[in-house]
Amino acid sequence: MPAAKHRQQQPLPSLRALAWRRRAAKLDYWLWPWLLPLIILGLWWLGGRQQWLGSQVLPSPGEVLDSLTELLASGELQRDVLISLERVLEGFLLGSALGLALGAAMGLSERASDYLYPLVRLIAYVPLLGWLPLLMLAFGIGETLKAVLVAQAALLPVALNTYNGIRAVPPHYVEVGRIYGFSRRQALWRIILPAAFPMVWSSIRYGLTKSWLALVVVELLASSEGLGFLMVDSRQLYRLDAMLVAVVSIGVVGFVLDQVLAMIEKRILRWRRAGFAS
Amino acid sequence: MAHAAALEIRHLNKQYIVDNQPMPVLENIDLSINPGEFISVVGSSGCGKSTLLRLIIGLEKEYQGEIRVDGQPIVGTSLERGIVFQEHRLFPWLTVEQNIAVSLLNANQSSKSKHDAVHAHIEMVGLKGFENAWPGQLSGGMSQRVAIARALVSRPEILLLDEPFGALDALTRSHLQRELQTILRQEGITAIMVTHDVEEAVYLGDRIVVMEPRPGRIKRVVDVPLARPRDRGSYAFAAIKADVMADFSEVIAPPEPAPPPTHGLSPSWRFSW
Ligand SMILES: Nc1ncnc2c1ncn2[C@@H]1O[C@H](COP(=O)(O)OP(=O)(O)OP(=O)(O)O)[C@@H](O)[C@H]1O
Ligand SMILES: [Mg+2]
């Protein structure tokens, strides 16, 4: 049977090629995201070794690592991270809750959106720091100022996206609710909210990131604790190694915060992936 | 058990406003439907079939004329009238089982009997094993079957069907046609079904309403005086089919359901009723 023989000969190399290709694809998946950071790290390390810039300007990775262990051992870094986290969560929860309420009001009520939407849009065009001088006058430079600025950073994106998310709910779905005699409340909880949820949630994630960045900025300008403070403080003391530790920590904390929300999203939005995976 | 309701439509006119101009969609529709009767509606795309169903179900407030169910003018939607839309309109965030249970949310039943009803209907439309699937995982035909189960599970007195089997394969289609017929008889449900498939219209309908477009009017009503279950191969069946086809062929109807009308783009949609 020549056909069978032919079949036996052919598949082996092609299967192996396939396996290779799959392995290569996996490698791609793992390698590419790390490539650029690794190159930068390599250059940094090389630059430190070759004294391209001098450790006053750019401390070597080793020095930064030393400084990290030192800051960890003294507990200073943990304290600053915790303080910053506490502040950001406080402000973010306040801001996103208000944003949800405001966005929902504008999304659900014509009158509310007529009154509020233009103003909200206008405010959204003023950069965060534009408010700082005014808010400093109003609230001083204490914790209230930070809470207000951090809250405001989350409030606007959440409000605008909640509004847009609700307006984008397909009327087709709402009609189904009408057919089955849904009350307003049922329609709100069982149709409007789940349908708008993906958009609202992505704005909540974005809001948290914005809150975090806003906090670091206020801490830079007006604080005696927290990661932002650690950054300016180290800079003023010419401890650039410690400053870099702060910079990296800010990045890591921001990333982790977003990942936590991403994980929650994955769980709640199972139905979105269901069509593709598994 | 629900009783079948009579439906009376008198001098029904409907316009949509397009570019500030009234555009007549339905003109002078008169139709009396007896309790338990099955009405097939055929007509070319855009002649207002879906609009007619929207009016009967109670989704459109603006119209002229009368729509009466058992003598009472309709006011908005009601659990007594069910509909299968042209697009399945399942909620993507609910599983198959939950989607079907949506129609029992406000029904006066114990949760046990709701649960049983939902499962009986899942079985009926042949989706056993898919109770916990998401709509995103279903084919178009499967989604449409879920929508049919959702409409039937609340046991309406009048069931409106907008090309419910358009997306199904021939086998499932004829299976569901037979199922549907049995259920409607058993439960005593009055039904109006829009279809592009003339054979289906003849197979299921006691009468066939043939519509013509621009504006949508009833061209004529064809009686189907054949005993059930009907034999698609019989001479009488073929004769009626040919008769209706002759009407139809003047304006060539697309074989597939048209994409859903863009009600979604009405500029002034409000979450309120
Ligand atoms: N919300 C709306 N606003 C404006 N015009 C509309 C609206 N809905 C439907 N129409 C118009 O009314 C006419 C009838 O639409 P309808 O959906 O009832 O047709 P149909 O007979 O169901 O067609 P098909 O067989 O393609 O489903 C069409 O010309 C359509 O463009
Ligand atoms: Mg239609």
Side-chain angles (χ1 to χ4, degrees):
Chain A
M1 283 186 289
K5 209 170 165 190
H6 181 71
R7 214 186 296 151
Q8 259 181 0
Q9 282 172 347
Q10 273 300 43
L12 278 175
S14 77
L15 262 184
R16 194 179 294 169
L18 212 69
W20 268 112
R21 216 171 300 156
R22 196 171 312 146
R23 227 169 287 164
K26 218 171 194 173
L27 204 65
D28 271 5
Y29 184 77
W30 289 110
L31 185 64
W32 292 123
W34 291 103
L35 194 60
L36 196 58
L38 283 175
I39 289 176
I40 291 173
L41 202 65
L43 281 175
W44 179 14
W45 175 80
L46 198 69
R49 247 180 93 94
Q50 307 286 328
Q51 299 284 316
W52 286 347
L53 285 174
S55 70
Q56 241 50 312
V57 185
L58 187 70
S60 74
E63 284 173 282
V64 174
L65 209 64
D66 287 344
S67 165
L68 173 68
T69 42
E70 187 189 308
L71 281 168
L72 279 175
S74 69
E76 204 176 327
L77 184 63
Q78 292 94 315
R79 212 192 57 231
D80 282 329
V81 168
L82 276 179
I83 285 170
S84 292
L85 268 181
E86 198 180 309
R87 281 173 176 160
V88 81
L89 289 183
E90 231 174 64
F92 163 73
L93 287 178
L94 180 73
S96 54
L98 285 174
L100 277 174
L102 184 62
M106 291 191 305
L108 296 173
S109 151
E110 213 48 46
R111 177 168 291 188
S113 72
D114 283 349
Y115 283 143
L116 298 170
Y117 187 67
L119 181 66
V120 173
R121 279 302 297 269
L122 201 68
I123 294 174
Y125 284 114
V126 179
L128 194 75
L129 286 181
W131 298 104
L132 195 59
L134 188 69
L135 293 176
M136 271 176 162
L137 281 178
F139 300 110
I141 59 165
E143 291 301 307
T144 321
L145 173 75
K146 282 161 208 123
V148 168
L149 264 175
V150 171
Q152 199 244 331
L155 192 152
L156 283 172
V158 172
L160 284 172
N161 264 17
T162 305
Y163 167 78
N164 286 323
I166 288 175
R167 287 299 161 109
V169 172
H172 280 185
Y173 290 152
V174 182
E175 283 182 359
V176 172
R178 280 171 67 188
I179 304 257
Y180 294 115
F182 280 29
S183 63
R184 268 188 85 90
R185 172 187 283 261
Q186 284 171 334
L188 181 62
W189 286 101
R190 289 165 189 267
I191 300 174
I192 305 285
L193 241 60
F197 183 83
M199 204 161 165
V200 172
W201 187 260
S202 74
S203 76
I204 285 181
R205 271 177 75 174
Y206 179 65
L208 181 56
T209 303
K210 278 201 69 175
S211 282
W212 178 241
L213 299 180
L215 175 73
V216 171
V217 171
V218 219
E219 282 183 349
L220 280 173
L221 296 175
S223 181
S224 53
E225 310 161 289
L227 279 175
F229 170 73
L230 180 64
M231 213 166 117
V232 266
D233 192 43
S234 323
R235 201 193 66 87
Q236 273 160 7
L237 299 172
Y238 289 101
R239 288 284 313 274
L240 294 195
D241 46 343
M243 188 193 88
L244 282 173
V245 170
V247 170
V248 172
S249 305
I250 289 164
V252 169
V253 171
F255 180 74
V256 168
L257 282 175
D258 188 54
Q259 284 305 300
V260 171
L261 293 192
M263 262 157 61
I264 299 173
E265 172 178 330
K266 247 185 185 162
R267 218 94 197 94
I268 302 180
L269 291 182
R270 286 186 310 265
W271 58 268
R272 277 190 126 194
R273 290 169 302 132
F276 306 99
S278 80
Chain B
M1 192 176 105
H3 81 291
L7 183 69
E8 182 80 19
I9 298 172
R10 290 239 150 274
H11 307 310
L12 183 64
N13 285 276
K14 167 77 187 166
Q15 289 100 34
Y16 280 118
I17 306 294
V18 179
D19 299 332
N20 289 323
Q21 297 283 325
M23 181 186 74
V25 178
L26 291 173
E27 194 172 88
N28 216 7
I29 304 285
D30 277 302
L31 192 61
S32 289
I33 302 174
N34 302 316
E37 202 177 8
F38 194 115
I39 299 290
S40 301
V41 180
V42 297
S44 55
S45 189
C47 71
K49 304 180 297 294
S50 296
T51 306
L52 179 62
L53 295 195
R54 287 177 63 79
L55 286 162
I56 299 171
I57 198 77
L59 283 174
E60 299 281 343
K61 290 199 184 88
E62 313 268 308
Y63 62 90
Q64 298 85 47
E66 289 175 21
I67 304 171
R68 292 171 179 274
V69 173
D70 283 341
Q72 297 297 314
I74 60 158
V75 182
T77 60
S78 148
L79 287 178
E80 264 112 55
R81 274 166 282 138
I83 188 167
V84 178
F85 287 104
Q86 197 164 356
E87 338 79 58
H88 57 73
R89 299 204 188 179
L90 301 179
F91 296 138
W93 55 88
L94 298 182
T95 63
V96 165
E97 190 177 344
Q98 294 165 334
N99 261 295
I100 297 174
V102 155
S103 78
L104 294 177
L105 180 66
N106 292 319
N108 231 334
Q109 291 178 34
S110 70
S111 57
K112 166 95 172 68
S113 84
K114 284 183 186 178
H115 179 266
D116 291 349
V118 167
H119 281 263
H121 281 80
I122 289 176
E123 205 156 318
M124 188 201 83
V125 295
L127 286 176
K128 211 165 175 339
F130 288 91
E131 288 85 353
N132 297 318
W134 306 104
Q137 295 171 305
L138 303 179
S139 71
M142 290 159 90
S143 305
Q144 203 60 17
R145 282 188 267 164
V146 179
I148 292 168
R150 178 175 70 182
L152 280 172
V153 77
S154 55
R155 299 174 187 275
E157 295 172 0
I158 298 181
L159 180 63
L160 310 176
L161 302 128
D162 201 346
E163 297 179 36
F165 306 138
L168 299 181
D169 62 287
L171 215 64
T172 318
R173 180 191 290 224
S174 71
H175 167 71
L176 280 175
Q177 285 170 355
R178 263 175 283 128
E179 282 287 348
L180 182 69
Q181 185 165 304
T182 319
I183 295 163
L184 297 185
R185 292 278 122 144
Q186 267 171 12
E187 310 257 331
I189 298 174
T190 309
I192 305 173
M193 173 159 95
V194 170
T195 177
H196 274 128
D197 179 351
V198 175
E199 176 169 316
E200 181 173 87
V202 180
Y203 182 74
L204 289 172
D206 293 312
R207 283 187 288 161
I208 302 171
V209 172
V210 182
M211 292 185 63
E212 57 187 345
R214 273 175 296 269
R217 281 153 297 164
I218 295 182
K219 188 171 183 189
R220 65 181 181 130
V221 180
V222 179
D223 274 311
V224 189
L226 302 177
R228 292 168 195 271
R230 288 172 177 161
D231 175 9
R232 295 173 202 254
S234 77
Y235 176 75
F237 191 99
I240 296 174
K241 190 176 150 188
D243 181 20
V244 176
M245 282 293 240
D247 254 335
F248 223 133
S249 56
E250 288 161 24
V251 198
I252 295 159
E256 277 300 297
T262 49
H263 303 297
L265 298 181
S266 69
S268 60
W269 176 70
R270 302 280 182 273
F271 171 59
S272 56
W273 62 80

